[in-house]
Amino acid sequence: MPVKFWNDEGDKRYRSSYFDTYPGVWRHGDWAIFSPGGGCAIAGRSDATLNRGGVRLGTSEFYTVVESLPEIADSIVVHLEDAAGGPGELVVFVVPSPGVTLDHALEDKIRGELKGQLSPRHIPDRVVAVPSVPRTLTGKKLEAPVKQILRGRPADELVNPDALKDPDSLTAFTDLAVTFGR
Protein backbone atom coordinates (compact mmCIF):
# COMPACT_ATOMS: atom_id res chain seq x y z
CA MET A 1 0.00 0.00 0.00
CA PRO A 2 1.47 3.38 -0.92
CA VAL A 3 1.68 5.80 1.98
CA LYS A 4 1.65 9.08 0.05
CA PHE A 5 2.05 10.76 -3.36
CA TRP A 6 4.88 13.08 -4.32
CA ASN A 7 4.01 16.77 -4.30
CA ASP A 8 0.62 16.11 -2.70
CA GLU A 9 0.47 18.65 0.10
CA GLY A 10 -2.02 17.51 2.71
CA ASP A 11 -2.50 14.12 0.99
CA LYS A 12 -5.55 15.40 -0.97
CA ARG A 13 -4.94 13.30 -4.15
CA TYR A 14 -3.82 10.29 -2.10
CA ARG A 15 -7.01 10.35 0.01
CA SER A 16 -9.30 10.85 -3.01
CA SER A 17 -7.56 8.05 -4.91
CA TYR A 18 -7.69 5.38 -2.23
CA PHE A 19 -10.26 6.32 0.42
CA ASP A 20 -13.21 8.01 -1.39
CA THR A 21 -15.08 4.80 -2.27
CA TYR A 22 -15.14 3.40 1.26
CA PRO A 23 -14.32 6.17 3.78
CA GLY A 24 -11.61 5.01 6.14
CA VAL A 25 -10.97 1.82 4.15
CA TRP A 26 -8.17 1.55 1.59
CA ARG A 27 -9.37 0.57 -1.92
CA HIS A 28 -6.66 0.00 -4.50
CA GLY A 29 -8.85 -1.02 -7.45
CA ASP A 30 -7.54 -4.50 -8.29
CA TRP A 31 -9.74 -7.57 -8.52
CA ALA A 32 -8.47 -10.39 -6.35
CA ILE A 33 -9.40 -14.07 -6.41
CA PHE A 34 -9.06 -15.92 -3.12
CA SER A 35 -8.62 -19.69 -3.23
CA PRO A 36 -10.13 -22.08 -0.68
CA GLY A 37 -6.59 -22.80 0.54
CA GLY A 38 -5.97 -19.15 1.44
CA GLY A 39 -4.02 -18.12 -1.64
CA CYS A 40 -4.69 -14.94 -3.56
CA ALA A 41 -4.22 -13.99 -7.20
CA ILE A 42 -4.56 -10.46 -8.57
CA ALA A 43 -6.82 -10.59 -11.64
CA GLY A 44 -6.46 -7.02 -12.87
CA ARG A 45 -7.77 -3.52 -12.42
CA SER A 46 -11.43 -3.16 -11.53
CA ASP A 47 -11.49 0.48 -12.63
CA ALA A 48 -10.16 -0.39 -16.09
CA THR A 49 -12.74 -3.09 -16.74
CA LEU A 50 -15.68 -1.81 -18.73
CA ASN A 51 -19.19 -3.03 -17.98
CA ARG A 52 -21.52 -2.66 -20.90
CA GLY A 53 -25.00 -4.05 -20.47
CA GLY A 54 -23.77 -6.49 -17.82
CA VAL A 55 -20.93 -7.78 -20.01
CA ARG A 56 -17.41 -7.17 -18.73
CA LEU A 57 -15.00 -5.93 -21.38
CA GLY A 58 -11.26 -5.70 -20.84
CA THR A 59 -9.59 -2.57 -22.16
CA SER A 60 -6.58 -4.49 -23.46
CA GLU A 61 -8.89 -6.31 -25.89
CA PHE A 62 -9.78 -2.96 -27.46
CA TYR A 63 -6.15 -1.84 -27.63
CA THR A 64 -5.04 -5.04 -29.33
CA VAL A 65 -7.56 -4.55 -32.13
CA VAL A 66 -7.51 -0.76 -32.52
CA GLU A 67 -3.75 -0.34 -32.28
CA SER A 68 -3.13 -3.09 -34.84
CA LEU A 69 -4.60 -0.77 -37.47
CA PRO A 70 -1.84 1.10 -39.32
CA GLU A 71 -3.92 4.28 -39.21
CA ILE A 72 -3.87 4.37 -35.38
CA ALA A 73 -0.79 5.21 -33.30
CA ASP A 74 -2.39 4.90 -29.86
CA SER A 75 -5.78 4.66 -28.14
CA ILE A 76 -7.62 4.74 -24.85
CA VAL A 77 -11.15 3.53 -24.12
CA VAL A 78 -13.63 4.48 -21.41
CA HIS A 79 -17.21 3.60 -20.59
CA LEU A 80 -19.23 6.47 -19.17
CA GLU A 81 -22.03 4.91 -17.16
CA ASP A 82 -25.48 6.46 -17.17
CA ALA A 83 -26.50 7.58 -13.67
CA ALA A 84 -30.12 6.80 -14.59
CA GLY A 85 -29.23 3.16 -15.30
CA GLY A 86 -29.17 3.36 -19.10
CA PRO A 87 -26.51 1.77 -21.29
CA GLY A 88 -24.05 4.63 -20.88
CA GLU A 89 -21.58 5.57 -23.57
CA LEU A 90 -18.55 3.61 -24.78
CA VAL A 91 -15.90 5.94 -26.21
CA VAL A 92 -12.67 5.03 -27.99
CA PHE A 93 -10.18 7.89 -28.20
CA VAL A 94 -7.56 7.43 -30.91
CA VAL A 95 -4.32 9.10 -31.85
CA PRO A 96 -4.18 8.87 -35.64
CA SER A 97 -0.84 7.90 -37.19
CA PRO A 98 1.12 10.76 -38.76
CA GLY A 99 -0.62 12.03 -41.90
CA VAL A 100 -3.91 10.28 -41.04
CA THR A 101 -7.15 12.07 -40.21
CA LEU A 102 -10.00 10.43 -38.36
CA ASP A 103 -12.92 10.49 -40.78
CA HIS A 104 -16.15 8.51 -41.11
CA ALA A 105 -14.44 5.79 -43.15
CA LEU A 106 -11.79 5.24 -40.47
CA GLU A 107 -14.44 5.33 -37.71
CA ASP A 108 -16.40 2.66 -39.60
CA LYS A 109 -13.25 0.58 -40.01
CA ILE A 110 -12.51 0.76 -36.27
CA ARG A 111 -16.09 -0.22 -35.42
CA GLY A 112 -16.03 -3.06 -37.96
CA GLU A 113 -12.74 -4.46 -36.66
CA LEU A 114 -13.94 -4.35 -33.05
CA LYS A 115 -17.21 -6.06 -33.98
CA GLY A 116 -15.51 -8.68 -36.18
CA GLN A 117 -12.60 -9.52 -33.89
CA LEU A 118 -14.39 -9.14 -30.56
CA SER A 119 -18.20 -8.73 -30.45
CA PRO A 120 -21.05 -6.31 -31.16
CA ARG A 121 -20.82 -5.19 -27.50
CA HIS A 122 -17.35 -3.80 -28.28
CA ILE A 123 -18.64 -1.32 -30.88
CA PRO A 124 -18.07 2.17 -29.47
CA ASP A 125 -20.75 4.83 -29.41
CA ARG A 126 -18.12 7.40 -30.31
CA VAL A 127 -14.65 7.39 -31.80
CA VAL A 128 -12.82 10.62 -31.01
CA ALA A 129 -9.39 11.79 -32.17
CA VAL A 130 -7.02 13.21 -29.54
CA PRO A 131 -3.43 14.44 -29.91
CA SER A 132 -2.03 12.02 -27.31
CA VAL A 133 -2.98 9.40 -24.75
CA PRO A 134 -2.10 10.29 -21.16
CA ARG A 135 0.43 7.86 -19.72
CA THR A 136 2.44 7.65 -16.54
CA LEU A 137 6.21 7.74 -16.69
CA THR A 138 6.09 3.92 -16.62
CA GLY A 139 3.75 3.83 -19.64
CA LYS A 140 0.41 3.01 -17.96
CA LYS A 141 -2.62 4.53 -19.69
CA LEU A 142 -4.68 6.70 -17.38
CA GLU A 143 -8.12 5.24 -18.05
CA ALA A 144 -9.71 6.02 -14.67
CA PRO A 145 -8.51 9.65 -14.54
CA VAL A 146 -9.66 10.23 -18.15
CA LYS A 147 -13.09 8.91 -17.25
CA GLN A 148 -13.26 11.13 -14.17
CA ILE A 149 -12.12 14.18 -16.15
CA LEU A 150 -14.86 13.54 -18.71
CA ARG A 151 -17.28 13.41 -15.76
CA GLY A 152 -16.17 16.90 -14.73
CA ARG A 153 -13.46 16.36 -12.11
CA PRO A 154 -10.49 18.71 -12.43
CA ALA A 155 -7.37 17.00 -13.76
CA ASP A 156 -5.16 18.58 -11.10
CA GLU A 157 -7.17 16.78 -8.39
CA LEU A 158 -6.59 13.42 -10.07
CA VAL A 159 -3.09 13.36 -11.46
CA ASN A 160 0.27 14.82 -10.57
CA PRO A 161 1.62 16.28 -13.84
CA ASP A 162 5.15 15.30 -12.74
CA ALA A 163 4.06 11.64 -13.01
CA LEU A 164 3.08 11.96 -16.69
CA LYS A 165 5.17 11.37 -19.80
CA ASP A 166 3.35 14.32 -21.39
CA PRO A 167 1.71 16.64 -18.85
CA ASP A 168 -0.28 18.32 -21.66
CA SER A 169 -1.92 15.02 -22.64
CA LEU A 170 -4.87 15.63 -20.29
CA THR A 171 -5.77 18.99 -21.86
CA ALA A 172 -7.77 17.47 -24.72
CA PHE A 173 -9.86 15.46 -22.26
CA THR A 174 -10.49 18.50 -20.07
CA ASP A 175 -11.63 20.38 -23.18
CA LEU A 176 -13.80 17.44 -24.29
CA ALA A 177 -15.57 17.17 -20.91
CA VAL A 178 -17.89 19.98 -22.04
CA THR A 179 -18.95 18.02 -25.15
CA PHE A 180 -19.73 14.99 -23.03
CA GLY A 181 -22.28 17.06 -21.11
CA ARG A 182 -20.54 16.79 -17.77
Side-chain angles (χ1 to χ4, degrees):
M1 173 177 159
V3 294
K4 69 183 310 96
F5 291 160
W6 286 343
N7 300 324
D8 183 20
E9 184 106 9
D11 293 330
K12 183 178 177 183
R13 281 193 318 273
Y14 174 75
R15 292 263 166 229
S16 70
S17 295
Y18 293 119
F19 293 94
D20 270 3
T21 304
Y22 308 107
V25 177
W26 179 62
R27 177 190 173 274
H28 185 268
D30 285 335
W31 290 110
I33 300 167
F34 294 91
S35 72
C40 177
I42 302 299
R45 300 286 301 168
S46 62
D47 57 6
T49 301
L50 311 175
N51 186 338
R52 185 154 191 186
V55 176
R56 295 173 53 79
L57 311 172
T59 56
S60 65
E61 297 169 337
F62 285 87
Y63 304 143
T64 298
V65 173
V66 173
E67 293 171 21
S68 71
L69 300 173
E71 299 92 342
I72 304 300
D74 203 357
S75 65
I76 189 166
V77 61
V78 297
H79 183 245
L80 302 170
E81 292 85 4
D82 181 358
E89 186 173 26
L90 183 65
V91 187
V92 175
F93 296 94
V94 296
V95 178
S97 295
V100 174
T101 301
L102 179 64
D103 57 16
H104 291 297
L106 183 51
E107 286 182 38
D108 289 345
K109 181 177 182 178
I110 291 167
R111 286 184 174 97
E113 290 294 319
L114 287 167
K115 180 180 180 182
Q117 293 188 44
L118 299 174
S119 81
R121 294 252 189 212
H122 289 80
I123 300 171
D125 298 301
R126 287 199 227 185
V127 179
V128 179
V130 291
S132 62
V133 168
R135 293 177 179 270
T136 65
L137 294 172
T138 59
K140 181 185 180 297
K141 294 181 186 193
L142 298 179
E143 295 151 337
V146 163
K147 180 177 176 175
Q148 292 177 27
I149 290 167
L150 293 172
R151 290 284 188 210
R153 288 212 36 209
D156 61 351
E157 289 182 7
L158 300 166
V159 180
N160 179 350
D162 295 338
L164 300 178
K165 281 188 178 183
D166 175 9
D168 294 327
S169 61
L170 293 174
T171 303
F173 297 95
T174 300
D175 294 345
L176 285 167
V178 174
T179 67
F180 281 84
R182 312 295 182 243

